[in-house]
Amino acid sequence: MILKRPGEPLALADVPVPKPKKGELLIRVEACAVCRTDLHVADGELHNPKLPLILGHQIAGRVESTGERVGVPWLGWTDGICRYCMTGRENLCDRALFSGYTLDGGYAEYCVADERFVFPLPDSYSAEEAAPLLCAGFIGFRALRMAGDASRIGFYGFGSSAQILAQIVRDEGREVYAFTRDGDTAAQEFARKKGALWAGGSSDRPPHVLDAAIIFAPVGSLVVTALRNIVKGGTVVCAGIHMSDIPTFPYELLWGERAIRSVANLTRLDGEELLTRARKTRIVTERRMFPLAEANAALNALRSGDIVGTAVIRP
């Protein structure tokens, strides 16, 4: 499926099987989970994508030459020599390339990937089960670490990342409080099913003040809302790559050593740690499958909020 211009539907097309260069692997795609970032690219909210472009960066498949099961995430290449890469912050590399954005991704039957940036997948997870871990899991896990050892954590937006993190947080004996669109009782019930102690609308006050909050929804006003609901010394983590503007707010909401942090991309260490955790804690994701030719329907369902859990495309 090809994105020719942002704002237009993807086009089904026959393209040659990509040829891997030195240091790259040819991968037969078995499943590719749909991420909200795919929407931001397709809708033109992330600028300067490679065009024409094959979207998709939560890719589970097999190396064509060996049959090894691997996953391909958002971070697809870094230079390895800049000050960020040399200090364990490759997620901030200025020259980084990204699957499904500046590199062709997984809305296809085949893709190529830098062999340094692929991950062996746990044998106990099918391709469909593993695909959501490769961004929703990786980025979410990085956001969770930024929240520190918070006992009560609020999730604003309960989709693909939140359903994964909720299971990890509850396994650690911590409490999850889920915030959805006001009136979205289906999403709130899903959150409770996945381990949320409480679920309500984004304008609701939780029954207890929170130690930290992670914002998955791309809505800047939720930063202010979350600040009102966390303790002094608490942290609000913005987990998305794109967000609407944050409105002005009184300094007293930030005072008390509250902090606002953003998550940018991921490091390979994030991926390794999440997959190690997934081998220990069985993560069960709710998924809705779409054939490759219906990738536009998957994007539209995510755009309209008509997805509970994760949309996954299968070639």
Side-chain angles (χ1 to χ4, degrees), residues 14-96:
D14 287 324
V15 299
V17 174
K19 295 182 179 180
K21 301 174 184 176
K22 184 178 180 180
E24 292 182 336
L25 301 172
L26 175 63
I27 297 168
R28 181 189 293 270
V29 178
E30 294 183 330
C32 186
V34 179
C35 179
R36 185 163 292 277
T37 299
D38 298 341
L39 273 184
H40 295 318
V41 175
D43 293 346
E45 294 168 329
L46 293 183
H47 304 301
N48 301 318
K50 168 193 174 297
L51 292 175
L53 172 68
I54 299 173
L55 290 173
H57 60 272
Q58 300 185 91
I59 306 164
R62 292 184 182 270
V63 177
E64 185 72 356
S65 60
T66 66
E68 179 187 6
R69 299 182 67 240
V70 295
V72 181
W74 169 251
L75 186 64
W77 181 91
T78 62
D79 62 25
I81 59 173
C82 69
R83 62 173 178 166
Y84 298 113
C85 289
M86 296 297 287
T87 55
R89 297 177 293 165
E90 64 184 6
N91 59 307
L92 302 180
C93 176
D94 288 329
R95 298 178 61 207

Side-chain angles (χ1 to χ4, degrees), residues 21 33 84 94 110 140 142 152 157 187 203 250 296 309:
K21 301 174 184 176
Y84 298 113
D94 288 329
Y110 289 92
R142 184 174 182 85
R152 293 171 174 161
S203 62
N296 285 309

Side-chain angles (χ1 to χ4, degrees), residues 230-301:
I230 64 170
V231 297
K232 290 185 287 186
T235 301
V236 174
V237 182
C238 303
I241 195 170
H242 173 82
M243 179 179 279
S244 61
D245 289 347
I246 300 171
T248 59
F249 57 88
Y251 176 65
E252 65 180 338
L253 291 182
L254 188 62
W255 187 81
E257 299 191 351
R258 296 175 179 87
I260 302 172
R261 298 198 62 176
S262 67
V263 172
N265 312 314
L266 68 135
T267 67
R268 282 171 284 182
L269 181 60
D270 297 322
E272 292 165 2
E273 291 184 349
L274 185 277
L275 291 176
T276 296
R277 184 56 184 269
R279 290 177 173 92
K280 173 187 174 185
T281 302
R282 177 67 186 182
I283 297 172
V284 180
T285 54
E286 192 155 329
R287 303 172 304 280
R288 181 172 164 189
M289 303 303 299
F290 293 82
L292 178 60
E294 295 181 14
N296 285 309
L299 291 171
N300 287 335

